[in-house]
Each structure stands twice: as structure tokens, then as C-alpha cells.
Amino acid sequence: LTTTERIETRSWVDVNPADGQAITGISSFYGDSTFSDASKGGVVVVFKEYSIYVLDARNRIVEQLDTQGLGCTYPRSIVSSSKGILFANNAGVYRLLPGSFRIEYVSSFIERYWENEVSSEDRESAVGFSDTNQQVYVLGHKTNGDARPTKALAYAYNKEGNTPGAWSLYTNYPALTWNFIDTISYFGDSQGNVFKLRDSNTSTDYRDDDQPIVAEIRLRPLHFGDSSIRKYLSSVFVHLRNTKSTTGTKVYLATDLSNNFKELDKFEANIDDVLNGIEDRGQPRVISLRFSTNKSKFQYLQNKIVNDIKDEGLELTMLEYRLAGLNSAGTTEAARTTKK
């Protein structure tokens, strides 16, 4: 006969098994502990589908955060960064802040894209990565109908003030796994290929082999503080960082939430052409251009800037508008939309 002996171990911790939820991922950061009897120390964050728990690894204490049913449903999206832990669920991308353990919603600028384009059927294929050199969170993902990941959303968490940072959409990114060595970012695809992000600090950074990389900056629609009245727009001022002469940058304008963007004046900006006799001689750091808009009237205004020329970069620093507020005349009257 054999006897059994109960052996006490401290190598595991139960994280509320009674809630019936699977653990989708864990991460860690160091910061102020949520526990009154602990100082700064190791804290492990445990993500489940509809809840988040904090584990004080030193004292083996588990506490559930008040997330209103929010958890992580994209297991490989969890990434620890210098600004907190970023993760994704069905509603978008969130961040858990160190110290306060408060959750912030950071994907308000891409809500429509997330709802309509990001596939929720194969959540395991969405892979997150933090480029600590650029301070960017990148989430490779499938779009609806794709057999494998082809795009990536990039969140610049280093460009934050009182509002969420900027989002970019990268195409031709078949990333299934990421790694970061020194200052170089690598990703691998489903075919066994390994790629690195080109960062040679030369004009060839703006090409894909012998083809140009199309860059598009699409700004959100603006109502300039009052969406109920129309505005009169006389001109748009575009300020570009002068990294190199440009011949292929185009500026477009759309009004009233239309997808029909109209190109504004064509232009070429060469280093020797931008001197206006006022600034000091030498290479200006910013090129400022004024575009006529044919006296557009609108309630909402939206711009996009596109460059599709090989070896040309595009760095937008600022847009400014010359406009005046009108009144509600010209806005469709609700009573006139039905037949009496």
C-alpha cells in the first residue's frame, strides 16, 4: 500500500476560479501597490475575458479591479509600456495605468475602423508590440475577410497631452510575432519570413523595394466649436517639415462628412524656392503653404494629405484655417424632408 501526503506549496495562486472565466493573459509593471500593507513591489496583472485582477506577488494577495465588466478578449494584444499596460477587447484598445490602476480608453479616434474592419472571429491572430524606441504601440490584426493579418494599428503614446495620442494605420504588415533588439524592430509572418522595419535615416526609408510607400494623413472632421451653424472658409495653411524637396504631396478637402475629397492647388516645394525674403537665408525647417478653397461653406470640414512618390517623406507639422462663422441658413429644415 502507498500513502498520500499533502504537500503545501506557494508556487501557484488561485485567481477567483468561481467566476468561470478563462485567463486570457498576464503582464506586470512596477508602481504604487493597491494594497495598503505593501510598498512598491512586484505586481502581476491577470486579465480575464470580462474582469481584471491584480496580484501582489510578494504577499500573495489577489484583488479584483472595478472594471464594469471590462476585460481582455484579444490575448496576444497585451503589452507593457512605459505609459502602462495596453490591451484590446471587443470594444477597442484600453490602457491600465500604473500606480492608480485606472483604465483609460485610448481608441476613440479609431472607433469606426475598429467596429467595421478589425476581425473579431480570430482574436488570437491580433498581436501587440511596443516599440520602446519610437514609443509606439503596434497591433497587427486581420480585417474582415482576410485569411491572415495584413494591417497594423499604431498608437503613438508619446504624443499625448490631455487627449489620447495619435493613431496610424499601416498596410502590408503580415505580422504574427514581434521582437525588438537594440533599436531595430522585427516581425515574422505566417510564411516563416522575418522582416525588420527600415530605419536607415535615408530617403530609401520611404520605399518598399522599388515601389513607393503611399502615405495618407486623414484628419478627423472639425466643426470648430459649433456644429449647428455653417462656416465660410477662405483658405487652408499647411505646414510641412522640410526634410526634402517634394513633388508628389497632395492636399485634399471634404465638407459635411462626405467621402468625396477634392484636391486643392497642386504644388512643388523645393528647398531653393521657399525663401520669401523675410526669413534668414538658409534651409527653412518648415515649409508653409496657403491653399485657396473657392470660398467653401460647410458645417464640418475634413482634410487629408497624401504622398505616393518613391523616396519622398511626408511630415505634417500643422494645419491652420482662415474662416468665419455664418448662421444656420442653408441647413436642411427637418419639416421639408417629408411630404405633407
Side-chain angles (χ1 to χ4, degrees), residues 149-278:
T150 57
K151 296 181 180 179
L153 288 164
Y155 176 56
Y157 55 79
N158 64 325
K159 297 182 179 180
E160 298 172 316
N162 296 323
T163 58
W167 283 91
S168 300
L169 177 64
Y170 299 156
T171 58
N172 195 24
Y173 261 60
L176 282 178
T177 183
W178 291 86
N179 206 341
F180 186 78
I181 301 176
D182 294 330
T183 60
I184 302 175
S185 300
Y186 298 87
F187 68 87
D189 68 3
S190 60
Q191 309 299 314
N193 301 309
V194 177
F195 303 87
K196 75 172 183 177
L197 302 189
R198 193 196 305 264
D199 189 16
S200 64
N201 199 29
T202 67
S203 62
T204 61
D205 287 342
Y206 306 106
R207 67 163 69 182
D208 185 2
D209 293 331
D210 63 342
Q211 298 298 316
I213 297 176
V214 178
E216 177 180 311
I217 301 174
R218 183 176 299 206
L219 304 175
R220 66 186 179 92
L222 301 173
H223 57 63
F224 300 96
D226 191 342
S227 60
S228 66
I229 66 170
R230 303 179 78 202
K231 295 90 180 171
Y232 169 87
L233 178 69
S234 62
S235 54
V236 178
F237 291 82
V238 178
H239 305 278
L240 301 171
R241 189 177 303 280
N242 189 10
T243 56
K244 189 186 177 194
S245 301
T246 178
T247 60
T249 299
K250 303 178 181 67
V251 179
Y252 296 86
L253 177 120
T255 58
D256 297 333
L257 307 181
S258 170
N259 287 322
N260 183 22
F261 283 84
K262 295 182 179 180
E263 184 179 355
L264 300 181
D265 300 328
K266 296 183 181 296
F267 74 97
E268 295 183 5
N270 298 309
I271 291 176
D272 295 333
D273 294 340
V274 295
L275 298 178
N276 58 22
I278 298 176

